Each structure stands twice: as C-alpha cells, then as structure tokens.
Amino acid sequence: MRKWILAAAAAAVLAAPSLAVAQSPIIIKFSHVVANDTPKGKGALKFKELAEKYTNGKVKVEVYPNSTLYKDKEEIEALQLGSVQMLAPSTAKFAPLGVKEFEALDLPWLFKDDDAYAKAMKGPVGTWLFKRLETKGITGLAYWDNGFHMASANRPLINPSDFQGLKIRISGSKIADQYFRELGSIPQIMAFSEVYQALQTGVVDGCENTPSNYLTQKFHEVQKDITVSNHAHLQYAVIVNTKFWSGLPADIRGQLTKAMDEATDYTNSIAKKENEDALEAIKKSGKTTLHYLTPEQKAAWQKAMQPTYKWAKGRVGQEVLDLVAKELNVQM
C-alpha cells in the first residue's frame, strides 16, 4: 500500500509541470519596425488587445515596435525560423524571398486613392499575392494601409530634374529603385531604423515615406523640404509563420482570425486620418517646408516615371501586371 502511495505521489509530481505547461498562454511575438504611434503600431496593439480578449487570455501577444527585436532586413528570416511568430513588413520586403510579384504594388501613381487600394487588396490581387507566400512557410493574414509616399531632401523637389544626383533611401523595392533612377537620383537600400541618422549625417540626401512615419521618426527635422507628392503607396502585409499558425487549436485560430479582421478594419480606417494629422503636425512644427505639386508638375513626374511600367514586366512578370491592370482599370 505504501509503495502504491509513493508511486502515485511521484506520478503526480511528474504530471504537475505538464499541467502547468498546458495552462501557459500561447505566446505570439509580433515584431515591426515603426513606432507605436503610427497606423501599423496602433494596429498591432489593437490586435494584441482583441486577441487576448477573444481567447480569454489563452494567447498573449508581445508587440515589439521600432526594430527592438529585429530590423527589417532580418525579420522575415526570423519568422521562417520561428524566432518570431508575426510580422507586418512592407510588401516590398518579399522580393528577396523570390516573391517579386509584390513589387507591382510599388508602381508609381498606381492607386488613385485609398479606396482603390483597399478594393484591390480585398479582391483577387491580394488573394493571388498571398498564395505566392505559401511555399515559403508564410501565411498571409491581412493587408494594412499606410497611405501615400512623400519625397524629401534638403532642397525643393518640384521638377523631375531636382532629383538629379541625389542619394535617396528606399526600403528595397526594385520598382522604387527604378523610378528614382528614371528621375536621375541614386537609390540606396537601408534599414528603416538607420534612416534618421543617415539623413542627419548626409549619408543619404533624401527619402520617401508617409506623413505618419516622417513625424514619428522625426525625419522632418532633418529634411529641409518635403514634397507632398503622393507618388506611390505604402502597404504592409500582416504575416504569420505557417507551421505555428496551422499548429494552433482550431478554436484559438478562429478567435485570432476574428481579432485580426477587426484590427485590420481599425487600422485601415485610421490610416488616412493619422496621416492627415501627421501632415498638419509637420506643417505646424516649422522645421521643414512643405511643397504641393501643381497639375502640370505632377504630370511631369508621371511622365518621367512612366518607363518604370515597361521595365516592371521583366521584374514582376506579366501575370501580376495583367491582374492589377484589370482590377484598377489602369494602362500598363
């Protein structure tokens, strides 16, 4: 009897850690490279709030903003290795994986407005692109909007010739590389976390980004002139490690999908207002001069960048260009 009691006690001790592990929350590390006070930053925090709420604490989301966990050059590999479970990189970051088709979204003057962008990404374009990630061990969950790019430098950028010889930071898109080359500038790929210092020290002369990123990263403090050009769109793809995602219990995955859908609606609904507010704050700061293109000046930019469309065929392929052209009713 005594042996039976001791054996039972030992079994209980051995089982206790397993029970504790079973009750531990599932951890999702969500890494991104921008500030919390941006559309993407706020979207990540909204997802955390909703995910923890809908799973009744069975999932804990740890958000790591501002490249505190990984820089944008490192994060996708970290996701594939399982070191982080969720990211929201700009869609230009998928080309090094061999999924160059995403760069079609970087074509200049592609989206007429935010509504045109939203329609395309909720439809066949967004679905088709996410399917291209499946063989890479990545599952696409949502597209988050961050509005349109402005261009900046320490001199006014009004005419295409104003870009001549300028070193312009880009995130890595070969499409962006091409349209800046068409303007006569010298594109420089650089991690987002390094841009402020590079602008401050003159390693690069200028950059392109959205108002919310200019403000929260203080790029406007080290650039004398910003042109509100809206020449290209910035969007993020919220992605998750497929092995991790498919390994979740079905009920948990359903609750997280609901949380992501609602966080996406929230993020995309605030993006336009956040950028409008950021632009107003930049204007009020008095630290940079904002320039607005006349219709004639805008047409000159469009004409100068137009050869990028022909060049893009060899980069991203005809299939995605045809799909985008059909959805957006644009001439390639």
Side-chain angles (χ1 to χ4, degrees):
M1 181 71 174
R2 184 169 179 273
K3 285 182 180 179
W4 183 88
I5 293 171
L6 288 172
V13 169
L14 288 170
S18 299
L19 187 63
V21 169
Q23 292 175 338
S24 297
I26 297 165
I27 303 297
I28 295 178
K29 292 181 179 178
F30 190 158
S31 173
H32 65 80
V33 302
V34 300
N36 279 327
D37 193 24
T38 59
K40 178 161 68 173
K42 290 183 177 182
L45 294 174
K46 176 60 73 174
F47 173 72
K48 169 183 169 66
E49 173 197 327
L50 295 174
E52 293 175 356
K53 174 185 172 183
Y54 291 151
T55 62
N56 292 315
K58 291 178 184 175
V59 170
K60 182 183 177 187
V61 180
E62 299 175 354
V63 178
Y64 297 90
N66 268 330
S67 307
T68 51
L69 199 58
Y70 295 103
K71 293 182 179 181
D72 50 4
K73 291 180 180 178
E74 310 160 343
E75 60 180 9
I76 291 181
E77 184 181 4
L79 182 88
Q80 290 178 302
L81 293 172
S83 302
V84 62
Q85 289 71 47
M86 193 172 286
L87 305 172
S90 64
T91 53
K93 293 295 189 296
F94 296 123
L97 287 178
V99 191
K100 300 174 183 177
E101 293 92 339
F102 275 91
E103 288 188 352
L105 303 176
D106 300 326
L107 282 165
W109 318 101
L110 182 65
F111 300 108
K112 184 176 70 172
D113 51 33
D114 287 302
D115 290 339
Y117 157 78
K119 182 175 180 290
M121 303 320 290
K122 286 179 180 177
V125 173
T127 303
W128 189 90
L129 286 171
F130 270 159
K131 282 189 178 296
R132 296 297 176 277
L133 295 177
E134 291 175 0
T135 60
K136 310 298 180 183
I138 295 171
T139 297
L141 299 180
Y143 293 99
W144 286 1
D145 187 1
N146 194 12
F148 290 89
H149 280 305
M150 310 188 298
S152 67
N154 286 318
R155 69 187 192 204
L157 302 173
I158 307 300
N159 301 302
S161 58
D162 297 328
F163 284 87
Q164 192 69 39
L166 292 181
K167 297 189 294 284
I168 302 289
R169 181 266 174 181
I170 60 170
S171 65
S173 170
K174 290 295 184 182
I175 297 290
D177 180 280
Q178 187 63 25
Y179 63 65
F180 277 121
R181 288 184 189 279
E182 297 290 353
L183 295 174
S185 53
I186 307 160
Q188 307 281 310
I189 297 173
M190 183 177 293
F192 189 69
S193 58
E194 300 168 8
V195 177
Y196 177 88
Q197 187 174 7
L199 292 170
Q200 186 181 43
T201 58
V203 171
V204 293
D205 301 306
C207 68
E208 63 172 359
N209 226 297
T210 60
S212 62
N213 283 344
Y214 269 102
L215 180 68
T216 57
Q217 299 296 323
K218 300 182 179 179
F219 296 162
H220 69 293
E221 296 184 0
V222 287
Q223 294 278 265
K224 293 178 182 177
D225 296 276
I226 297 176
T227 302
V228 186
S229 50
N230 297 335
H231 62 276
H233 195 272
L234 176 59
Q235 58 283 321
Y236 307 116
V238 186
I239 55 175
V240 66
N241 177 290
T242 298
K243 187 176 179 182
F244 167 79
W245 186 250
S246 58
L248 292 172
D251 60 329
I252 294 290
R253 198 163 54 244
Q255 290 155 354
L256 292 177
T257 298
K258 180 184 178 184
M260 180 55 68
D261 289 345
E262 292 184 18
T264 298
D265 288 342
Y266 165 78
T267 306
N268 292 343
S269 70
I270 67 168
K272 187 174 182 180
K273 181 71 163 58
E274 290 283 316
N275 279 310
E276 287 172 352
D277 289 348
L279 190 59
E280 194 58 34
I282 291 170
K283 194 180 296 184
K284 287 182 178 177
S285 75
K287 294 181 178 179
T288 188
T289 301
L290 293 177
H291 305 277
Y292 293 82
L293 300 176
T294 66
E296 292 77 19
Q297 290 163 349
K298 178 181 174 181
W301 283 45
Q302 291 173 323
K303 183 178 179 182
M305 292 179 171
Q306 184 62 33
T308 306
Y309 278 74
K310 184 177 180 181
W311 179 90
K313 181 180 176 180
R315 173 68 180 175
V316 302
Q318 191 65 49
E319 189 176 359
V320 68
L321 292 178
D322 287 345
L323 185 63
V324 169
K326 181 181 176 183
E327 282 299 299
L328 295 172
N329 193 27
V330 295
Q331 292 290 326
M332 288 291 167

